[in-house]
Amino acid sequence: MKIISIKKKRILQITIILVFALIVGAFSTSFGMQYYYKLDFSTGLVTATTLNVRSGPSTKYPIVTTVKKNEYIRVFAGVGNWYIIQTDGDYIGAVSQEYVKAIYPSSSSNTTSGNSESNTGGSTSGESQVFSSMNSDEQEVFNLINKQRTNNGLQALKVDGEVQRVARIKGEDMVTNNYFSHQSPTYGSLFDMLRSFKISYRTAGENIAANSSNSGAVNAWMNSSGHKANILNSSFNYTGIGVVSSPKYGKIYVQVFIGK
């Protein structure tokens, strides 16, 4: 009786193992993990008239938003024939690689402009020297922004010399090329610029404005939910501000936020 019992247990164990293997095999075939792979670029240009951003890397997943032709998107990784991306409106999803052109920022012009001002905002010079590199408009906007933060119980932002330079260059580019957009025809998106200037960060954001006065620009930002969210974002602790005279608007304002 004892021998028969052992045989029955052995048969039962084998049967359980076989059933488990069949179940795992079925799920592996139907829902197999698709592995991410790294890319050598981080910005893409949409080439389709309207591109669907889906919640997963397949047409079976629902659409979460759309992006239009010639818009820039941030590209994190690839999954099969899909890219995992972030839109300008902060939606994250997957898009077909077929309709995205990889953008590789040119480093030559950015390196030149970066070197020309490297001594004015170096990280070894101290925050006071970086602050002194700001013009009077930029200093006033910086103080107004920090007043909004401290009034809301947040820590004041610090000036980062490299981020300050990026904000100034972006403002100058907007005036020179007569556009008003987060997407620069010269430098691409904010994320392109940060990468081109080799600025490391955990989180980043950008506010832009066209106004005739510094207080007017800050008030306009605070009356806009999206801009206000950047100003009062506790994950940001460094900033750079560019204020450039504009014959069309009076002044162009660019504030770049990063969290380290």
Side-chain angles (χ1 to χ4, degrees):
M1 294 294 293
K2 189 174 182 180
I3 296 174
I4 295 173
S5 177
I6 293 172
K7 287 183 178 179
K8 287 183 178 179
K9 287 182 180 180
R10 183 63 176 167
I11 292 170
L12 180 61
Q13 288 174 349
I14 294 171
T15 303
I16 291 171
I17 291 170
L18 288 173
V19 171
F20 179 76
L22 289 171
I23 292 172
V24 171
F27 274 86
S28 298
T29 303
S30 302
F31 306 104
M33 177 70 74
Q34 297 187 62
Y35 291 98
Y36 295 85
Y37 53 87
K38 294 181 179 180
L39 302 168
D40 59 353
F41 65 97
S42 62
T43 300
L45 181 68
V46 177
T47 59
T49 303
T50 301
L51 180 59
N52 294 327
V53 180
R54 298 181 178 273
S55 62
S58 169
T59 54
K60 71 180 181 180
Y61 290 97
I63 298 170
V64 295
T65 188
T66 59
V67 285
K68 302 298 182 182
K69 188 173 183 177
N70 294 328
E71 285 189 23
Y72 288 92
I73 53 177
R74 188 180 186 193
V75 184
F76 296 107
V79 182
N81 295 322
W82 294 73
Y83 290 138
I84 306 303
I85 64 99
Q86 179 183 25
T87 71
D88 190 43
D90 285 337
Y91 287 95
I92 293 178
V95 296
S96 172
Q97 293 182 6
E98 183 179 354
Y99 305 107
V100 177
K101 177 183 177 182
I103 300 297
Y104 298 90
S106 173
S107 60
S108 57
S109 61
N110 291 344
T111 302
T112 302
S113 61
N115 290 337
S116 66
E117 296 185 26
S118 60
N119 293 330
T120 64
S123 59
T124 59
S125 303
E127 188 179 349
S128 60
Q129 184 173 343
V130 175
F131 186 79
S132 67
S133 72
M134 289 178 157
N135 61 40
S136 59
D137 286 325
E138 292 163 351
Q139 290 181 16
E140 182 179 1
V141 172
F142 175 75
N143 290 332
L144 289 170
I145 291 295
N146 272 339
K147 184 177 180 181
Q148 293 292 341
R149 286 178 64 89
T150 55
N151 285 348
N152 285 274
L154 299 172
Q155 287 188 342
L157 297 168
K158 297 179 181 179
V159 181
D160 181 286
E162 295 301 305
V163 177
Q164 169 64 25
R165 180 171 47 163
V166 165
R168 179 86 61 77
I169 291 172
K170 174 63 181 293
E172 292 171 348
D173 184 57
M174 289 172 67
V175 173
T176 300
N177 291 298
N178 192 29
Y179 72 94
F180 185 79
S181 172
H182 290 289
Q183 301 294 333
S184 164
T186 308
Y187 301 101
S189 69
L190 168 65
F191 305 109
D192 290 328
M193 291 194 74
L194 293 176
R195 193 179 113 175
S196 295
F197 286 90
K198 297 179 172 58
I199 297 173
S200 60
Y201 62 93
R202 289 184 298 104
T203 57
E206 179 184 66
N207 282 352
I208 60 175
N211 209 291
S212 59
S213 73
N214 300 331
S215 60
V218 174
N219 288 336
W221 281 339
M222 290 302 294
N223 288 323
S224 165
S225 59
H227 297 90
K228 181 179 179 180
N230 276 341
I231 292 171
L232 301 182
N233 190 331
S234 61
S235 68
F236 296 144
N237 49 12
Y238 287 88
T239 191
I241 297 169
V243 181
V244 183
S245 296
S246 165
K248 184 175 181 180
Y249 298 107
K251 298 174 185 177
I252 286 291
Y253 297 81
V254 178
Q255 180 166 18
V256 176
F257 307 83
I258 67 166
K260 294 184 180 181

